Amino acid sequence: MEDSDTSAILPEDPESSDQQFGSKNNCCLPNGSTCSKTPPYSCPFSISVEPVLFLNMFSLALQMPLYTQYLWDRFSEHVGYNGTKSGGCGNSSEPHDPLQKEVETLTAHWNLYISLGGFCVGLITVTLLGSWSDRAGRRVVLIVPSLGLAIQATVYLIVMYMKLPVGWFLFGRLCSGLSGDFNAILAACFAYVSDRSDRVSRTFRVAILEACLGLAGMFASIIGGKWRHAQGYINPFWLVLATNLAAALYAYLFVPESLTPDPESKLFSTQHHRAVIRLYATDREGGRRLKLWLYTLCFFVVVSVHFGSRDLYVLYELSSPLCWGSELIGYGSAAQHLTYLTSLVGLRTMQRCLEDSWVAIIGLVSNISSLVVISIANTTALMFTGYGLCFLFMASTAVLRSKLSKLVDPSELGALFASVACVEGLCSLVSSGVFNSLYPATLHFMKGFPFLFGAILLLIPAVIIATLGCQERGMNSRETTEENCVES
């Protein structure tokens, strides 16, 4: 109901949309349409891009902590730091080891170099591939970045086998960035489900993809630490390489095209980047440009708070007064990722009686209450209570992605989700800098202040979504009244 004002752009009937904007042809659609790029095999189940996203997210979540620990070990070996610690949890009386500080600094700096290198290259490539997929099709943008991530894993393995300088990690990251990186896969997957879904079911389909991200992260966090402790770094990275190749193979063999590709579409053209700029620069009927900017702002704030608080959880749990060990930290990580599933179930339930705007607000309330409790948590029970209160946090991001997709033409979905993926990458960089700087600066008066700060920030998207939701409801009421008057 709340999005009926976009009906001038997006037709309500999926079949009419197919005829106007290109056939949504795949082996699983009930209309039986065919595609000019049919995969070699039909869909084995009623799923499409979910396995591609799951496998690539699993590989990403598995390798990120591993290469950070590998950098730590390499720099420790380089400076002669043996890694022993004389103090226990919360023991601040021991002098800080200058070698440990040097290792921490080198590891943090190289993590920053690698992240920035991938983001800067990917910013150009993702927008290019995302907009190009609106004409060339989604499958190629699922396959090529998966192969790019496989090349990155191969470079990392070579570095580990041959003990090459750690600067080669940056080279591997740049190779992945040139192919679109994980952000291109995100953009293609969300654009794909938007192609295949109608306006009613889109929010839930988007939420399923978000749940895939959480489940993949949960399995990777459980497997990665234990495997690295048992067998070192190299064997887990072989699994990273295998999952990236499996994702590319699955996309090639089983994922049907969601739109009709244009054989004359050119990849290297400035029109693709111009299409992304036009999304936010062109005025649209019914104030859609302003809504696009406001919902993007909401998405930026919500994801930044999520990334920033996630970066601090382990540090917060390791130190006094919680003093968690590796086992409790593992349980805490599993509890965080379990909220992706509870959010999916909660979203599906709430959609039966509430509009999407209010579902998003409830999700934000869940996130705010969780962060407030965690900010004052001084016991294990209170910390897990905070995790429990976050059981609906994902509902807000799923609704925001869905609302953004309904504000643009179907032929612009690739460009839209490419820009959203870039915003998500920017969120990771900004939140890491802000929250990691805020944490040590506020330890002297409130250890959990960064979490409280995140809760306050979430009030901004809550107010914006509530305001836009009320406006949309008012517009729907006026349209209904006018229709009744005409009929009478």
Side-chain angles (χ1 to χ4, degrees), residues 37-40 137-144 251-253 255-257:
K37 284 193 176 182
T38 305
R138 314 294 185 199
R139 289 181 71 221
V140 66
V141 186
L142 294 171
I143 297 170
V144 172
Y252 174 74
L253 293 178
V255 177
E257 188 55 81

Side-chain angles (χ1 to χ4, degrees), residues 44 66 81 96 103 109 134 141 143 153 196 210 216 231-232 239 247 259 273 282 334 342 352 361 434 461 464:
L66 288 178
Y81 175 63
H96 193 77
V103 172
H109 283 175
D134 288 326
V141 186
I143 297 170
R196 287 168 50 102
E210 299 255 15
Q231 296 185 342
L239 179 60
L259 48 82
H273 290 107
T282 304
T342 57
R352 299 180 183 276
I361 292 172
V434 171
I464 293 175

